[in-house]
Amino acid sequence: MANTITKRELVNKVCAEMGNSFTQNEVLDIIQKTIEQIADALGNGDRVVLRNFGTFTVKEVKAKVGRNPKNPEKNVPIPARSVVKFKVGKSLKDTVAKVSE
């Protein structure tokens, strides 16, 4: 089973990798600001491309009619909405492919 890596664990790993050149709070600020900038760009409808990692885009999902599982004969309108899509980059795809080998 795969482990879950939290933001705090990511900060610790980056600090260790950088030879403790930065404090944990500085790395946390950098990671948090990066996440905020990505979210802001997506909120504006922009694409975010991180070469060899992947591309985040915003797609519109059309309105549709669903069914209530507890009452299948009743239609439930589902409004149109925006969702974030992620297309994996080549390096990430290659790295993840090695996991299943």
Side-chain angles (χ1 to χ4, degrees), residues 11-89:
V11 166
N12 292 338
K13 287 178 180 244
V14 170
C15 280
E17 187 90 14
M18 299 295 291
N20 294 319
S21 302
F22 298 97
T23 66
Q24 287 186 358
N25 283 338
E26 290 171 331
V27 173
L28 178 61
D29 285 344
I30 291 168
I31 290 173
Q32 187 61 44
K33 292 295 181 194
T34 301
I35 292 168
E36 289 171 7
Q37 289 299 315
I38 291 170
D40 287 347
L42 292 170
N44 292 329
D46 298 332
R47 276 180 8 152
V48 177
V49 179
L50 303 173
R51 293 274 180 236
N52 295 317
F53 182 74
T55 303
F56 296 92
T57 55
V58 177
K59 297 286 184 183
E60 293 294 322
V61 177
K62 295 178 183 176
K64 59 185 177 183
V65 176
R67 301 251 186 234
N68 181 343
K70 292 183 179 179
N71 189 2
E73 61 274 353
K74 185 174 182 183
N75 290 336
V76 178
I78 301 171
R81 64 193 184 283
S82 298
V83 295
V84 175
K85 297 289 184 177
F86 179 74
K87 182 178 178 191
V88 67

